[in-house]
Amino acid sequence: MAEAKQKHPRLILRNFLTLFQCEELEFIHKSNSTVGYRPNVFSTTLSHLIATNSPHLLMPFVPIRESLKEKVEEFFGCEYELFVEFTGLISWCRGASIGWHSDDNRPYLKQRAFAAVCYLNSFGKDFKGGLFHFQDGEPRTIEPLAGDVVMYTADGHNIHSVDEITGGERLTLTLWFSRDASHDEDAKLVSLLSQRLLHNNVPGPCLPLLASSNMYWFSLDQSSHRQLGFDICWARLHVLGFDVYSYQDTSCDSDLSELLTMPLQLARGVELFNVEFVNILHALQDF
Ligand SMILES: O=C(O)CCC(=O)C(=O)O
Ligand SMILES: [Fe+2]
């Protein structure tokens, strides 16, 4: 057991998060995510929540980040040594996968010492495919289940992969930890928060601002014309059964993504709801 821990330092924790916490984070992701860093992947970072004037949505992350850091420090024997380097909600849609790798496998990722991946939804129920595998050691394969967490060193002792998603959307809260204080995410977040508070140019305490429209544009074919794709915010509302009604003058040649930055109302079938939203992010967060 001790030898296995030395060779492949890793820990699986069942039911670390409650289903309520999973659902709360899922709601935040589905109402704020942008197109991610790899094909068919969407992400919500904490700095993005600040940049889009939704810092109140950071609150549910605070106790979870703290207890994950404590667990990692306790299990890997490095109490009070770690900084959270990155926190993000990451969802993988059909076609997304990642081959064998370690999480520190690029020069710009060398500061990463440990990873914690929290599963926010479940294999077989919410998505198909997407099993997690370690190349060596035990456990070899992990079936993602809402609330469970896998923690492992970011180095070559824990080479891993994720099978292609074949249906649904697989959602995780993923954190990396570093020993290097210059990669402390908290310091970056505090600085972003204070910049926003000092520059009083935000519309109101809780009214979201959209990032640039290409951050929400999901291209179906990366290489082809920009038109082939959809706006992820609009698509998420559509999945929930809503249509968007914009009372802007649509006779001008404004495109869809521009309209979604303007005031709008929601409709379902022939029913038009009275509430006016400042933009589509506001509708997603408050419908
Ligand atoms: O989502 C997972 O299970 C692991 C993802 C992963 O390996 C990564 O993002 O580096
Ligand atoms: Fe990884």
Side-chain angles (χ1 to χ4, degrees), residues 185-197:
E185 184 180 48
D186 289 12
K188 289 172 201 153
L189 298 176
V190 168
S191 150
L192 280 173
L193 277 168
S194 40
Q195 276 167 36
R196 288 204 77 78
L197 288 174

Side-chain angles (χ1 to χ4, degrees), residues 37 92 98 101 103 117 119 132 152 160 162 170 172 176:
Y37 58 106
W92 306 47
I98 188 164
H101 68 283
D103 286 351
V117 180
Y119 295 107
F132 178 105
Y152 50 89
H160 57 281
V162 177
R170 175 190 192 269
T172 61
W176 282 283

Side-chain angles (χ1 to χ4, degrees), residues 211-263:
S212 72
S213 64
N214 63 359
M215 290 186 76
Y216 303 102
W217 188 261
F218 181 79
S219 280
L220 288 171
D221 179 354
Q222 310 282 336
S223 59
S224 80
H225 194 262
R226 188 180 181 280
Q227 298 302 333
L228 258 185
F230 52 84
D231 182 281
I232 180 64
C233 302
W234 180 84
R236 297 237 189 248
L237 277 176
H238 191 74
V239 167
L240 294 167
F242 293 110
D243 289 318
V244 171
Y245 173 77
S246 169
Y247 38 91
Q248 300 302 307
D249 178 8
T250 47
S251 59
C252 63
D253 57 0
S254 49
D255 66 13
L256 172 73
S257 29
E258 215 174 300
L259 279 178
L260 299 177
T261 66
M262 297 176 184

